[in-house]
Amino acid sequence: MNDHGFDSAAAPDFRTKPTLTGKAVQLRPVTAEDVPALLPMFLDPEATRLTGSHGDHPADPEGLRAWYGSRGDQDDRLDLAVVDRASDRVVGEAVLNDWDPDNESCGFRISLVPAALGRGLGTEATRLIVGHAFEGLGLHRVSLEVYAFNPRARRAYEKVGFVAEGVLRHALLWEGERVDATVMSVLAPEWARHRGRPEQATGAL
């Protein structure tokens, strides 16, 4: 048990790829076989814009199969598929990356196929994987960046407990427009207090 009261491992272990189950979604290790289900994320122009993806993963099925097929071998990041439990279909991915063991921190990102948006699946998936970062891996800080033209994502992150820290000015150049990015984070003491539901925790005070 760490100093925040979590029953966590002695040290973060990104080699272990867990399965995390909620009411609406299940997170499990992503595989090459998930590529057909994930492909809409890479083909949707709006999803590409909101994530600022300058061809990071070209929509090449074979290249994507090689990428996702190698995720299970990574010992410095955790890539999980988001499965809609109602349909048993893969609808996105949730990732812990940029692990900084010296400072007990990592980054977070999530992406869903367009058809899965607006149903609360991303919110629950975020709670599951960020909860694992703190309660399973014993990390102290989880952070992300969200672009100014994506207020819906920012509201979703705030709902789970992420707090804005500052602005990276003109962090993205997208089709001639320079776009700011907000840095957000949640810390282990905060998570211990609200478990990803800050509004409920505030109401209980």
Side-chain angles (χ1 to χ4, degrees):
M1 182 173 291
N2 63 20
D3 57 358
H4 302 298
F6 298 137
D7 291 321
S8 62
D13 180 8
F14 281 85
R15 294 182 180 85
T16 300
K17 313 299 181 183
T19 294
L20 310 172
T21 303
K23 292 182 179 179
V25 301
Q26 181 181 76
L27 307 187
R28 60 153 175 78
V30 70
T31 70
E33 284 64 41
D34 296 322
V35 168
L38 294 172
L39 199 56
M41 294 191 316
F42 302 98
L43 297 176
D44 180 63
E46 182 65 0
T48 300
R49 183 180 77 92
L50 293 178
T51 56
S53 301
H54 289 298
D56 293 349
H57 294 292
D60 165 39
E62 287 308 310
L64 290 170
R65 283 184 61 86
W67 168 263
Y68 285 108
S70 68
R71 298 304 86 197
D73 299 327
Q74 309 305 308
D75 62 4
D76 62 348
R77 56 183 287 150
L78 177 62
D79 298 79
L80 299 180
V82 180
V83 181
D84 179 358
R85 296 188 65 192
S87 64
D88 199 33
R89 294 179 179 176
V90 172
V91 296
E93 63 177 349
V95 180
L96 298 179
N97 56 11
D98 297 329
W99 178 38
D100 181 351
D102 292 331
N103 294 306
E104 299 179 333
S105 67
C106 74
F108 163 72
R109 67 176 180 82
I110 187 169
S111 182
L112 300 181
V113 299
L117 298 175
R119 297 165 50 198
L121 304 181
T123 299
E124 185 177 72
T126 299
R127 286 195 181 106
L128 287 171
I129 195 168
V130 174
H132 176 70
F134 293 121
E135 301 172 36
L137 298 176
L139 296 181
H140 181 75
R141 181 176 186 269
V142 177
S143 63
L144 58 85
E145 296 176 12
V146 59
Y147 294 115
F149 53 32
N150 197 358
R152 181 176 65 181
R154 175 168 174 163
R155 288 193 298 271
Y157 299 141
E158 289 171 340
K159 185 186 300 184
V160 178
F162 281 89
V163 177
E165 297 183 330
V167 175
L168 302 176
R169 298 182 300 165
H170 291 188
L172 173 71
L173 175 60
W174 189 263
E175 296 182 349
E177 177 188 4
R178 297 193 183 276
V179 184
D180 294 345
T182 298
V183 179
M184 307 181 76
S185 73
V186 59
L187 306 179
E190 298 165 345
W191 190 267
R193 184 173 66 252
H194 59 60
R195 292 304 206 279
R197 292 176 171 80
E199 292 183 0
Q200 293 182 16
T202 300
L205 295 178

